[in-house]
Amino acid sequence: MSFVRQVGMLFARKWIGGVTVPDVIGQARKSNDSGEKVIINYLGEDYFDRSKIKQTIATYSKLLSQMKDEGIEGDIAVKPTQLGLSISYKLFLSNYLRIVKLAGRSHRFVWMDMEDHMFVDDSIRAYLAALGKHGNVGICIQAKLMRSLWDIKRIIKSGGKVRLVKGAYPARKGISYFGKADVDRNYIRCMEYLFKNSKEFMLATHDDKMIELALKLKKKSKSVVLFGMLKGIRGSLARKLALAGERMYIYIPFGPEWLEYSIRRLKELEHSTLIIRSIISD
Ligand SMILES: Cc1cc2nc3c(=O)[nH]c(=O)nc-3n(C[C@H](O)[C@H](O)[C@H](O)COP(=O)(O)OP(=O)(O)OC[C@H]3O[C@@H](n4cnc5c(N)ncnc54)[C@H](O)[C@@H]3O)c2cc1C
């Protein structure tokens, strides 16, 4: 590892679960010990190189068997373009179904992450195809996109499970909400729909306002609500919620492609004070 990457890794350790499967298993154990379950993602996206896709599947297979051997409580998350969606839908679907089957054998759930807007249709299409055959699948939906409530409605109608996020990819004119206020408004609209219509879903956010509202709505609802946060962000709030009996999941990415992921997390921080807070706080 170059010197620059070594220094970068010192900071990135806050957000990533290490480079190897044993590294991430160690981090997952720590979350489990704090009463949190985990969602583990092997970092990588937009692959055109088939050998990288093959290696990704092999890593998920190894990860699933180690999670089982070590008794880790949690699930995995995959990105469509790390399984071949940038090459072809057919390749992606067959790889995705392979992982879903593998995970099903060890009674694990597979979350599909949501990437940039051009992949949304094919991601949902593959998700619904898997849902028809397997029960252990959920999908991420981004409140930043104007279409999302409509997507949630058809996913719920098919019996699917949604993980609602605000969205980490750049907003596009005509299809996305731009300002925080509009994204938040759509997040609330989608959340309220989930509370009324979905038996079980995940709210993946670090936003106090969204969490407070969710806890309020939960009191009047029969839905099972899971909460999700990213490793290294608002860790003490996550532990507090877990301690209070909420179903808290920590999303832990790992793998050699940690630098790109860390840069995305840094870009999300609006002010340098937030960066410092994120690095030094718990
Ligand atoms: C479990 C999980 C899975 C996700 N999966 C996806 C996915 O598949 N696709 C996708 O597009 N996005 C995904 N995301 C990312 C998500 O879309 C947002 O980019 C990210 O969660 C920030 O939005 P927020 O809801 O926390 O609210 P924001 O409005 O961005 O932030 C609210 C507050 O949270 C705190 N905060 C937020 N981010 C940080 C940070 N980096 N460091 C320190 N404090 C911070 C700050 O106090 C901030 O004011 C996921 C997020 C989570 C938690």
Side-chain angles (χ1 to χ4, degrees):
M1 208 189 285
S2 75
F3 177 69
V4 175
R5 280 181 84 85
Q6 274 178 31
V7 173
M9 180 54 116
L10 285 178
F11 291 104
R13 282 228 172 262
K14 172 99 187 164
W15 300 300
I16 63 153
V19 178
T20 65
V21 170
D23 287 345
V24 78
I25 292 288
Q27 292 297 324
R29 164 76 49 229
K30 282 187 190 163
S31 292
N32 282 178
D33 289 347
S34 304
E36 302 148 339
K37 291 189 180 176
V38 293
I39 300 173
I40 303 180
N41 168 249
Y42 182 57
L43 287 163
E45 55 196 286
D46 215 11
Y47 287 159
F48 286 91
D49 179 347
R50 285 171 194 261
S51 66
K52 275 192 163 185
I53 298 169
K54 239 173 144 176
Q55 187 256 328
T56 297
I57 296 167
T59 304
Y60 275 117
S61 170
K62 190 172 163 195
L63 173 65
L64 284 162
S65 80
Q66 289 212 14
M67 284 171 83
K68 188 174 172 208
D69 292 349
E70 300 288 332
I72 295 298
E73 286 194 73
D75 302 304
I76 60 166
V78 296
K79 283 196 165 40
T81 65
Q82 72 175 173
L83 300 180
L85 184 56
S86 303
I87 300 174
S88 82
Y89 175 77
K90 209 171 141 200
L91 176 69
F92 157 53
L93 181 64
S94 81
N95 288 334
Y96 171 53
L97 291 175
R98 211 166 131 197
I99 288 187
V100 170
K101 263 191 228 159
L102 266 176
R105 274 186 223 143
S106 51
H107 310 287
R108 303 279 168 178
F109 197 83
V110 181
W111 284 105
M112 188 192 285
D113 285 358
M114 192 56 79
E115 298 175 81
D116 220 341
H117 68 99
M118 64 278 215
F119 299 116
V120 175
D121 279 326
D122 280 342
S123 300
I124 296 177
R125 188 172 147 212
Y127 172 69
L128 294 176
L131 188 63
K133 299 181 194 153
H134 309 278
N136 61 324
V137 286
I139 186 166
C140 178
I141 294 290
Q142 302 154 327
K144 191 182 260 180
L145 295 181
M146 292 172 177
R147 58 179 284 172
S148 289
L149 184 58
W150 180 76
D151 287 331
I152 289 175
K153 285 182 182 172
R154 65 194 179 113
I155 290 164
I156 298 305
K157 218 169 156 189
S158 306
K161 191 148 116 183
V162 167
R163 181 178 84 212
L164 184 63
V165 301
K166 290 194 188 172
Y169 293 83
R172 314 272 162 169
K173 235 179 164 174
I175 59 168
S176 314
Y177 294 109
F178 276 78
K180 176 170 162 59
D182 286 337
V183 176
D184 284 2
R185 208 168 295 125
N186 200 39
Y187 193 97
I188 292 172
R189 202 179 295 142
C190 294
M191 186 202 301
E192 287 174 342
Y193 182 85
L194 287 166
F195 268 106
K196 283 193 190 126
N197 298 284
S198 174
K199 285 194 194 110
E200 187 169 334
F201 55 91
M202 179 178 286
L203 298 171
T205 179
H206 316 95
D207 190 333
D208 288 315
K209 253 178 35 202
M210 301 302 135
I211 295 167
E212 270 167 35
L213 177 62
L215 293 173
K216 223 159 115 189
L217 293 172
K218 192 174 158 250
K219 284 188 188 144
K220 291 182 264 167
S221 162
K222 285 190 183 132
S223 306
V224 173
V225 187
L226 317 173
F227 289 95
M229 291 195 192
L230 302 174
K231 171 175 160 45
I233 299 178
R234 312 217 60 194
S236 47
L237 175 62
R239 281 190 294 280
K240 195 173 137 197
L241 287 166
L243 216 71
E246 300 301 336
R247 295 169 161 89
M248 175 55 68
Y249 283 76
I250 304 298
Y251 182 107
I252 311 181
F254 80 104
E257 298 198 15
W258 54 269
L259 190 57
E260 298 75 1
Y261 175 83
S262 304
I263 289 170
R264 182 169 324 134
R265 292 278 78 84
L266 281 169
K267 277 187 184 159
E268 266 177 359
L269 299 171
E270 299 139 54
H271 311 293
S272 54
T273 47
L274 262 185
I275 299 181
I276 293 161
R277 219 176 85 200
S278 162
I279 290 170
I280 61 174
S281 73
D282 201 10

